[in-house]
Amino acid sequence: MTIDSKPNSRRTVRATMGVALVALNIADVASTRLVLDAGGVEQNPVMRPLLGLAVAPWLVKSVVAAIVGALLWAAPADDRRSEAAVAAVIMFYVGVIIWNLIQASAA
């Protein structure tokens, strides 16, 4: 058995992924706010109607991140597909945040 396959090691990886997901969701909302403050427009059709509500974007992002984190935590320790799926979501958010920062700096 390698360290990588031990349950505690998998839990550490998953906890780290969950924390990263929450942090990236916060960064997404903050960087989107920068774009909007610079005169940009929200491109996400799900989030667009919620932007006028003070806490709605933060609440939606928090709930989604919590659900994904809970599903990842509940997945069997030997199931690498769940980790791969969350890694893809993490990379997506990194791309969105980079895009937001480029858009905010261009305005």
Side-chain angles (χ1 to χ4, degrees), residues 18-76:
V19 168
L21 190 60
V22 169
L24 289 168
N25 271 280
I26 291 168
D28 177 31
V29 172
S31 63
T32 297
R33 189 78 251 162
L34 289 172
V35 171
L36 297 174
D37 290 347
V41 178
E42 172 63 72
Q43 297 298 312
N44 182 340
V46 174
M47 294 301 292
R48 193 176 304 133
L50 301 176
L51 291 178
L53 307 171
V55 297
W58 298 99
L59 183 61
V60 168
K61 293 285 191 169
S62 298
V63 168
V64 169
I67 290 169
V68 171
L71 290 172
L72 178 63
W73 194 258

